[in-house]
Amino acid sequence: MKIAVVREAPAGETRAALMPDSVRALVTSGVTVHVESGTGDASGGSDADYVAAGAQIERDKTELLDSVDVLLCVSRPSDHDLARLHAGAVVIGFLRPLDEPDAMVQLIERNLTAFAMELIPRSTRAQSMDALSSMATIVGYKSVLLAAERLPRMFPLLMTAAGTIAPARVLVLGAGVAGLQAIATARRLGAVVEGYDVRAAAGEHVRSLGAKFLQVDLGGIQTEDAGGYAVELSDEALNRGRDLITKHARTTDAIITSAQVPGKRAPLLVTEEAVAGMKPGSVIVDLAGSTGGNCAASRPGETVVRNGVVIMSPLNLAATVPVHASQLYSRNITAFLKLLMEDTGELKIDLTDDVVGPTCVVHQGEVVNGRVAAALETAAR
Ligand code: NAD
């Protein structure tokens, strides 16, 4: 089996899908790994490192794509690159099948088999493959550093000869993996932190990190699905959260927002009114920009200033920490790839496997994921 990794196409994408350590593990399993020259330049893997790990460096990407069996990527390859792959070839990466279902058409028409890393079940068995959690950990950490860098005050409580400096107050909305990491990072920097989420289970996690959990009475409605993900709330339920957030925003120095509902627009939690009530110099870092944003004033990918409040909505924060992001992603994708391999290194796709099946979007040109099929149908209307 021939596995390939090429340089990521999107501007600003610094991560690499496979790092030399993972290449070493794969090569000993009997596969060949081909890496486009320069793939790891930004993520700490030189061509020489890949060669030392047992990979072959390729200068001609087109030739490499023509003959590859499995293409590993971080973001979805361009249509141009996908068009080079032979029918039956396998693509694995963050393919955004629910957010951009239209883009799956190329995979279908080319008779490819595609696995979306964002669909890996959040099960104990699949923990080592959970790339969403890996990236969210990095994003949560980095969001706090961005806020701290932009804030015109310090985070910790300081008692100096010139007097006492009060700690910064940080509010984190959405206490999933990214939110919890943001809370932990802000606490390490010495801030007083509050967290908010609609899932009751999140309260315990927030408190265990030394932050205060803000609770809203939603009248006992269902806020999460069987998989533990938040569900889309009614406007009335959302308004209760918005009112509480507006009140707390007035005394908060930095708000980090990370609320997401899989396959849906991100919930709007910070209204224009809440922004208007914040102190000039306060900072909002909206981590949900790629799905519409949690803050009414956010502009995905941009930084805007409203009445002295700085609102940032970075779109690919994980790529600003390329070494560790690539290291974690490479281990995640390698662990998943091993589920698709016989001991002899041959490809084996068992769609009845409880990790392989749910992760598969398209199998030899057929859509095999119900949620993706529904998203495609809606997009076609
Ligand atoms: P996510 O990125 O889908 O969403 C981030 C957070 O936003 C979630 O905590 C969600 O509850 C919250 N949210 C959604 N709508 C909201 C609203 N209106 N107001 C406030 N908050 C809102 O979440 P994630 O980090 O991917 O985690 C999703 C779930 O998966 C969680 O239950 C998490 O504990 C679980 N998980 C399990 C494992 C595992 O068992 N292996 C690993 C990672 C995550």
Side-chain angles (χ1 to χ4, degrees):
M1 179 163 66
K2 185 168 175 178
I3 294 169
V5 190
V6 298
R7 294 171 75 115
E8 291 289 317
E13 184 51 82
T14 55
R15 294 169 290 178
L18 210 57
M19 294 303 292
D21 277 357
S22 305
V23 169
R24 201 167 282 119
L26 285 169
V27 168
T28 54
S29 311
V31 300
T32 60
V33 179
H34 300 252
V35 177
E36 184 187 5
S37 178
T39 292
D41 279 357
S43 54
S46 68
D47 283 1
D49 294 334
Y50 281 105
V51 170
Q56 295 178 38
I57 294 295
E58 308 287 348
R59 298 198 181 273
D60 187 337
K61 176 167 85 167
T62 309
E63 219 172 82
L64 171 60
L65 292 173
D66 282 347
S67 60
V68 68
D69 298 309
V70 178
L71 177 62
L72 303 181
C73 46
V74 178
S75 48
R76 194 177 56 243
S78 65
D79 283 355
H80 182 264
D81 282 357
L82 289 175
R84 304 292 323 181
L85 302 178
H86 64 71
V90 174
V91 181
I92 311 174
F94 281 129
L95 306 179
R96 299 178 60 83
L98 297 171
D99 300 323
E100 294 166 8
D102 281 349
M104 300 301 107
V105 172
Q106 170 84 340
L107 300 161
I108 298 164
E109 287 177 351
R110 301 290 310 159
N111 279 323
L112 299 173
T113 292
F115 294 94
M117 291 299 282
E118 52 272 80
L119 296 185
I120 286 184
R122 282 353 229 294
S123 61
T124 307
R125 178 172 174 241
Q127 250 173 9
S128 60
M129 307 161 209
D130 186 354
L132 275 186
S133 288
S134 298
M135 298 306 111
T137 299
I138 291 173
V139 166
Y141 159 83
K142 197 65 193 274
S143 66
V144 173
L145 299 192
L146 278 189
E149 200 275 327
R150 198 65 195 245
L151 204 65
R153 13 179 357 121
M154 291 192 284
F155 264 41
L157 166 87
L158 290 181
M159 301 220 207
T160 79
T164 300
I165 286 180
R169 300 186 73 87
V170 175
L171 172 60
V172 177
L173 307 177
V177 180
L180 290 174
Q181 190 56 235
I183 291 173
T185 306
R187 290 282 301 134
R188 277 184 215 118
L189 287 177
V192 172
V193 185
E194 294 175 323
Y196 169 70
D197 200 295
V198 285
R199 290 180 302 107
E204 198 185 309
H205 298 141
V206 167
R207 283 188 285 265
S208 73
L209 293 169
K212 182 178 165 197
F213 186 59
L214 302 185
Q215 216 147 3
V216 178
D217 180 7
L218 294 174
I221 61 162
Q222 184 78 21
T223 56
E224 60 186 273
D225 63 17
Y229 281 97
V231 293
E232 206 173 21
L233 300 185
S234 67
D235 238 8
E236 190 203 328
L238 279 172
N239 276 339
R240 294 194 190 187
R242 288 173 187 145
D243 288 347
L244 183 76
I245 290 160
T246 302
K247 189 170 148 237
H248 282 257
R250 289 183 204 125
T251 52
T252 296
D253 297 303
I255 301 182
I256 311 285
T257 80
S258 69
Q260 301 267 10
V261 177
K264 308 277 182 196
R265 191 209 179 281
L268 185 61
L269 298 177
V270 185
T271 61
E272 293 280 6
E273 185 197 345
V275 175
M278 291 178 78
K279 291 175 286 182
S282 313
V283 176
I284 298 174
V285 182
D286 187 344
L287 298 178
S290 66
T291 51
N294 293 139
C295 173
S298 294
R299 295 284 166 270
E302 295 177 27
T303 296
V304 293
V305 182
R306 286 281 177 91
N307 309 319
V309 178
V310 178
I311 303 141
M312 293 183 252
S313 182
L315 286 179
N316 191 1
L317 264 191
T320 65
V321 190
V323 170
H324 284 147
S326 303
Q327 185 181 314
L328 295 177
Y329 186 77
S330 172
R331 288 179 189 162
N332 293 143
I333 205 167
T334 302
F336 178 71
L337 182 57
K338 287 197 168 171
L339 290 185
L340 304 181
M341 285 166 53
E342 302 275 15
D343 292 343
T344 52
E346 294 306 307
L347 191 64
K348 160 202 77 164
I349 296 176
D350 175 7
L351 292 182
T352 65
D353 181 280
D354 63 5
V355 176
V356 176
T359 308
C360 192
V361 179
V362 178
H363 185 230
Q364 296 178 348
E366 298 282 330
V367 179
V368 293
N369 183 293
R371 282 198 295 159
V372 177
L376 264 167
E377 235 179 82
T378 311
R381 272 191 218 133

